[in-house]
Amino acid sequence: MADTTGHPTDTQVSTTPTPRKSSWKYIGPGIVVAATGVGAGDLVATLIAGSNFGYTLLWAAVIGCLVKISLAEAAGRWHLSTGRTLFDGWASLGRWTTWFFVVYAVVWGFVYGAAAMSSSALPLQALFPGVLDLEWWGVACGLVGLVFVWFNKYEVFEKVMTVLVGVMFVVTVYLAVRVTPNLPDALAGLLPVLPDENDSILNTLGLIGGVGGTITLAAYGYWVNAKGWTNTGWMKVMRLDNRVAYATTGIFVIAMLFVGAELLHSANIAIASGDKGLIQLSDILEQEYGSATAKFFLIGFFATSFTSLIGVWHGVSLMFADFVARYRTADTAKGEEVASGARERSWPFRAYLLWLTFPPIVLLFQGQPFRLIILYGVLGAAFLPFLAGTLIWLLNSSRTPAQWRNGPVSNAMLAIAGLLFLVLCVKQIWDQPWSEFF
């Protein structure tokens, strides 16, 4: 994607060793954000879109990737241009941002922990039937994620994520080729046409908004710093890295839409929403192409779910540690501190890791409290409008050096993203059963 600031990018002089030009060898945080952002739920949503509408909404999936590129680029640009972390920027806007983040981190993390463990457990239970109950597979996944993130720094974390992304890539592309996509119909799906059905606009907006990431978009800047990129000399590299991230995301999403369009839509087969829809897909693949293909898909399903688990375990814990450090000292939170690895060794980082792992285990065995699920849904829907709005605010103010403030293209993309997510947020809040809540 082109420079979205509208300003030159090669006049900044760095005071620390930085690359002379962007290069593929530096790619890393983008792979992490792509792997974390695309979870099993995203794949199911895309499958259902393909099942219901064929290739009609392919264009919406592409636009979703472009919107997320703009958000992640803005987050990364803030970190590199100011030398400050995103939470430090939020704190400068007022205490309300701190309260929003704290409530979000506590409620969202509690429910997400259970959802991530359950999602990772489903393919393992299908691959190894009769070994463990679903709940205990979930506990095992959570504990493995905890131990892995606790004892490893960003470098090892990135390498493991890259391997798992490779598995995801091979599996999804294999399935897309296996179902023999209708390429003329797929190309026609790039034309912006709405399905001729009720709520088609909201379904389309939902697909655009659901492509790859929520809070992981905010975590991208932290992974950029953890990689050692802390100044504007890395700006070109960050932008290349970000484009790779959402090109990868686009391939995952488009491949699964192909599968939905060819395997499900053509045969008029419906699958359930949620992670269990992928187990149904595994059964369909076994009937159509044999057990080897089904097992291969389940391995990809596990890679998709587990990368989201350890990605959130690492990225959101890093953000929480930054919040605590900023709150305790009231000093400027700098990217160099994230790059040093100090955040990953801090007690707030590990405390939030424990919060993501152990309290949610209760939900695996007892079910999820009704009111908590409603709050989880509302907070999750509100985060991306919050992110888009605050990035517009920060990157058009004196908090950002003039050279790196938003240009017209970036402002337009962030405004579109903010409006899109605001509409989806209002719909999510409206659809909640509030009468049962009180």
Side-chain angles (χ1 to χ4, degrees), residues 282-320:
S282 170
D283 295 336
I284 295 167
L285 288 170
E286 184 169 8
Q287 294 172 10
E288 293 288 330
Y289 304 113
S291 61
T293 296
K295 290 185 183 302
F296 189 49
F297 167 72
L298 288 171
I299 292 170
F301 177 6
F302 173 73
T304 301
S305 298
F306 195 65
T307 51
S308 293
L309 187 152
I310 60 175
V312 167
W313 263 229
H314 186 276
V316 185
S317 297
L318 204 55
M319 294 180 68
F320 185 79

Side-chain angles (χ1 to χ4, degrees), residues 116-187:
M117 287 187 270
S118 178
S119 179
S120 298
L122 278 169
L124 292 177
Q125 187 185 43
L127 282 167
F128 306 104
V131 175
L132 289 174
D133 292 336
L134 181 67
E135 293 83 1
W136 289 108
W137 275 120
V139 171
C141 290
L143 293 177
V144 169
L146 170 70
V147 171
F148 170 72
V149 175
W150 188 292
F151 291 105
N152 288 294
K153 293 184 180 180
Y154 174 80
E155 291 80 6
V156 176
F157 166 71
E158 182 188 289
K159 289 176 182 177
V160 171
M161 292 288 273
T162 301
V163 171
L164 292 174
V165 166
V167 174
M168 292 166 60
F169 186 90
V170 171
V171 170
T172 54
V173 171
Y174 167 77
L175 289 178
V177 173
R178 194 77 170 83
V179 300
T180 316
N182 186 321
L183 294 182
D185 286 352
L187 291 173

